[in-house]
Amino acid sequence: PIYQDSVITLYDQSFIVIAQNDDADNTTFSRITSSLAKGDYYLVVKPKITTSSLNCNVYFTKGANTIPK
């Protein structure tokens, strides 16, 4: 079955966890809000129940503010 409950994890270029979220705002949706410096990052999206498929949308936004080094 297709499952809507996701877990997301954001990693830096050394695969160190920067942030992780399961249920944002008392929902089954996941969200990470973070300001990031320039660089390479990895986002892993997976179903909370690992024996099911996941139907998901991933959105990225770029803020108007400059991120300090």
Side-chain angles (χ1 to χ4, degrees), residues 29-50:
F29 298 109
S30 301
R31 177 183 357 191
I32 293 175
T33 303
S34 183
S35 295
L36 303 170
K38 289 183 181 181
D40 295 325
Y41 298 92
Y42 303 93
L43 183 67
V44 175
V45 181
K46 62 182 181 178
K48 188 171 186 177
I49 298 175
T50 57

Side-chain angles (χ1 to χ4, degrees), residues 10-16 18 36-43:
L10 180 65
Y11 297 90
D12 68 8
Q13 63 186 5
S14 298
F15 298 103
I16 295 172
I18 296 173
L36 303 170
K38 289 183 181 181
D40 295 325
Y41 298 92
Y42 303 93
L43 183 67

Side-chain angles (χ1 to χ4, degrees), residues 4-10 18-34 43-46 57-61:
Q4 299 295 332
D5 194 357
S6 62
V7 178
I8 57 176
T9 308
L10 180 65
I18 296 173
Q20 185 175 35
N21 185 266
D22 179 10
D23 297 330
D25 304 325
N26 295 319
T27 69
T28 58
F29 298 109
S30 301
R31 177 183 357 191
I32 293 175
T33 303
S34 183
L43 183 67
V44 175
V45 181
K46 62 182 181 178
N57 295 312
V58 177
Y59 300 94
F60 297 95
T61 58

Side-chain angles (χ1 to χ4, degrees), residues 50-63:
T50 57
T51 57
S52 63
S53 299
L54 178 66
N55 182 16
C56 67
N57 295 312
V58 177
Y59 300 94
F60 297 95
T61 58
K62 182 178 179 182

